[in-house]
Amino acid sequence: MRRALATRPGRASAVVELVDAQPEPVMPGDVTVRMLTTTVNPSDLITISGAYASRTTFPFVPGFEGAGEIVAAGPGVDSGLVGQRVVPIGGVGNWQQYRTVPASWCFPIPSDIPDTVATFAYINPVTALLMVDAHVPAGARSAVITAAGSAIGGHLADLLRARGVAAIGLTTGRAPRSAADAGRFTAIVDRRDPNWPDALAAAAGGPADVVFDCVGGPDGPRLLSLLRPGGRLVHFGLLSGVPLMTAGPDAPAGRTVHLFRLRDRVYDMDRSEIQQAFGRVFAHLRAGRLGTPTAAEYSLDDLGSALRRAETKPGKVLIQIGQ
């Protein structure tokens, strides 16, 4: 079979190789999943870059997201699962034709959800769902979202609007791709405006209840200044590649910073809780929320082109695995 291997830290298109390999043995409790589709998430590129050195061991098979079909069940696993389409989670490993994974980390895909939609149902939608549940209090009026042009920025805006909370987007030169995407937000402010904190505060009608940040870098104190006393800055990504700075003379007191890591969160959840989260994501997808348009599609054999596209252009890349 064919699999992708990140051989060392670096730019994904330079350090990821396609290699021939044998499927891993199916141990008790495991299933073998024939991967159907996968994608290149920013979290994949950041992990391959070496930004999370303390929890990344090279070489490894990347790929946090994907959809597949169970083709073999190990001892102790219900053989009736064979043939079921699933989203395998719990770690990397989806950039290959066959993945062996504990059955407990595979979650069924409803029959009305296509593979190409289920592929994107995990990282961004589940992260957005769990963060909004945990950090948007009842009665909240406004929230600021950095990287508003990103897929997860749109997902957060969808969920906030459904709760009646104004979603104020901050872009870094990459605006939402369409009028429909921009319409998810109450207002959008360009980070290149030197007065962007004032513009955000004006758009929010005053201090915000929550700031969701997936960029990092030096703007932490200015983001904290946008919050009301008791407000929360939720940091969940590192698109800039630079840790979020939160201390400094401009950092106001009485605001709190919360770090959200999806992997840590799901490892603390019961399987039934994760299954419920996926059920809610699929319900939102049916209602027209949390969708992820595909900008380009490649085969696994053309992974190099997919990685170069993901590194240089906006929009989601879909990878068809094939046989």
Side-chain angles (χ1 to χ4, degrees):
M1 72 165 191
R2 299 282 278 167
R3 68 164 40 139
L5 202 63
T7 58
R8 62 191 187 278
R11 189 176 178 87
S13 58
V15 302
V16 174
E17 301 175 358
L18 276 176
V19 300
D20 292 318
Q22 292 297 316
E24 297 173 1
V26 187
M27 304 299 289
D30 287 349
V31 294
T32 296
V33 178
R34 178 173 66 88
M35 297 305 301
L36 302 170
T37 53
T38 187
T39 185
V40 182
N41 190 280
S43 59
D44 296 312
L45 300 179
I46 293 170
T47 301
I48 294 167
S49 76
Y52 304 133
S54 63
R55 50 195 170 99
T56 306
T57 301
F58 292 84
F60 71 95
V61 179
F64 286 108
E65 292 186 291
E69 178 187 359
I70 294 175
V71 295
V77 178
D78 180 5
S79 61
L81 294 178
V82 174
Q84 185 177 85
R85 290 185 309 136
V86 294
V87 176
I89 68 169
V92 294
N94 286 329
W95 292 2
Q96 56 186 326
Q97 290 179 306
Y98 292 89
R99 178 183 179 186
T100 300
V101 62
S104 58
W105 285 114
C106 292
F107 293 86
I109 300 170
S111 60
D112 63 327
I113 303 294
D115 304 333
T116 52
V117 174
T119 294
F120 300 103
Y122 176 45
I123 295 290
N124 290 332
V126 174
T127 295
L129 191 76
L130 295 178
M131 289 197 305
V132 169
D133 283 351
H135 295 295
V136 178
R141 296 188 303 172
S142 63
V144 172
I145 303 167
T146 67
S150 66
I152 194 167
H155 296 340
L156 285 165
D158 280 346
L159 295 172
L160 292 166
R161 287 184 64 197
R163 291 185 176 217
V165 179
I168 315 300
L170 178 65
T171 71
T172 51
R174 175 182 160 190
R177 291 184 299 279
S178 68
D181 287 339
R184 296 161 129 174
F185 295 87
T186 303
I188 296 176
V189 173
D190 194 325
R191 171 65 179 76
R192 293 170 296 183
D193 180 350
N195 297 316
W196 63 265
D198 293 336
L200 279 175
D209 296 282
V210 188
V211 171
F212 292 103
D213 173 63
C214 64
V215 177
D219 285 337
R222 300 178 82 179
L223 294 174
L224 286 167
S225 72
L226 300 171
L227 291 165
R228 61 169 176 78
R232 297 181 173 193
L233 169 57
V234 184
H235 178 54
F236 64 97
L238 207 60
L239 290 179
S240 69
V242 179
L244 178 69
M245 184 179 74
T246 57
D250 297 327
R255 287 78 170 166
T256 55
V257 179
H258 300 262
L259 178 63
F260 183 93
R261 288 184 178 142
L262 179 61
R263 185 183 185 279
D264 294 345
R265 181 70 183 92
V266 297
Y267 269 82
D268 286 338
M269 297 169 70
D270 293 334
R271 177 179 168 84
S272 61
E273 293 178 286
I274 303 173
Q275 182 64 67
Q276 183 184 55
F278 271 112
R280 291 172 62 195
V281 167
F282 292 134
H284 279 297
L285 288 167
R286 294 186 187 101
R289 295 181 290 269
L290 307 187
T292 304
T294 299
E297 185 174 318
Y298 297 87
S299 68
L300 181 63
D301 285 337
D302 200 15
L303 179 63
S305 296
L307 293 174
R308 288 188 290 273
R309 183 26 163 122
E311 290 167 345
T312 58
K313 296 181 181 179
K316 282 292 187 179
V317 169
L318 179 74
I319 300 171
Q320 296 280 358
I321 301 293
Q323 296 299 304

